[in-house]
Amino acid sequence: MTDLPPFLHPDDAPGKTLILREALRLFARDGLSATSIRDIAQATGLSNPALYKHFRTKDALALVLFERLYGAHLLQLTKATARCPEFPGKFSAFIETRLSAFDSHPDAALFMTDTFVTLWPQMPAQMKTRTILSLLRDIVGLGRTEGHVDTTTDAALQMSLVVGSLDHLTRQIAFGTLPGPATAHLKDIEQLLRKALT
């Protein structure tokens, strides 16, 4: 099955698949802290013991979702940006991949953004060796070397500008204050960010 969403694995049991799908939907809609095991059980039609068979706690479930989603998104970004040798192509591929991921799975993007501060510190150490931010840091660094990105501004601030702008754009779409799909704004957001970085 190649069309599985990034938070599901082909070897997941049907009950586990249902739990992951419904938990992600509820976490994105209501927030992690406001969603209870009882809410997930009600949404899946499973009993609490059936849920605990797959996940010991709600937090364990959230960690599995986050780790799978983050890893899959990093892989998408890495592959997309690797196809381009220079900054303009890499930067464009980074933005397009982020926006396309939101269009494909908006709940996943919202969940990762909303829970990053809470769940990232609990991720395995090997997952922190190469991150979305370190990938973006390399792209911004390449842009600085090639003369496309201002070298007098702190690179960390430049990365914050990019990530924050993309996250806010997708949130506006999710909450209906900006029309979607996110990729319809690709040209404009890329142009705005390129101007801000020069």
Side-chain angles (χ1 to χ4, degrees):
M1 271 192 185
T2 56
D3 293 335
L4 280 175
F7 56 91
L8 297 179
H9 290 171
D11 57 346
D12 287 337
K16 186 174 185 178
T17 295
L18 182 60
I19 293 165
L20 288 165
R21 283 185 190 277
E22 289 303 314
L24 178 60
R25 182 181 66 79
L26 292 171
F27 291 158
R29 188 189 74 188
D30 302 330
L32 180 58
S33 61
T35 303
S36 68
I37 282 288
R38 184 176 292 125
D39 296 330
I40 298 168
Q42 186 175 8
T44 59
L46 299 172
S47 65
N48 284 11
L51 288 172
Y52 292 127
K53 175 183 167 190
H54 297 287
F55 301 100
R56 292 176 327 155
T57 64
K58 177 186 76 171
D59 291 338
L61 168 55
L63 286 169
V64 167
L65 276 171
F66 187 91
E67 185 172 356
R68 287 183 178 190
L69 289 167
Y70 190 92
H73 189 47
L74 175 59
L75 182 61
Q76 288 176 321
L77 288 165
T78 301
K79 286 181 178 179
T81 57
R83 295 185 193 111
C84 312
E86 298 174 344
F87 171 77
K90 283 187 183 295
F91 190 67
S92 182
F94 183 90
I95 294 171
E96 183 173 8
T97 304
R98 292 278 292 190
L99 298 182
S100 294
F102 173 81
D103 287 340
S104 298
H105 302 287
D107 285 349
L110 291 173
F111 169 73
M112 283 198 301
T113 301
D114 289 347
T115 60
F116 186 85
V117 172
T118 306
L119 299 180
W120 180 252
Q122 300 176 63
M123 289 298 105
Q126 75 272 12
M127 191 172 167
K128 298 177 183 179
T129 59
R130 184 65 171 158
T131 66
I132 292 169
L133 281 183
S134 64
L135 175 63
L136 180 58
R137 184 181 304 115
D138 291 347
I139 294 169
V140 168
L142 181 62
R144 290 163 77 99
T145 300
E146 292 178 357
H148 298 288
V149 175
D150 174 38
T151 57
T152 63
T153 304
D154 188 309
L157 287 176
Q158 292 169 329
M159 291 165 39
S160 294
L161 171 74
V162 173
V163 172
S165 296
L166 296 176
D167 285 350
H168 191 67
L169 182 149
T170 54
R171 289 184 90 62
Q172 285 184 289
I173 294 168
F175 297 120
T177 58
L178 190 68
T183 48
H185 304 283
L186 174 61
K187 184 178 175 184
D188 290 338
I189 192 70
E190 182 178 352
Q191 189 174 47
L192 287 169
L193 288 172
R194 287 290 301 271
K195 281 182 183 176
L197 291 174
T198 55

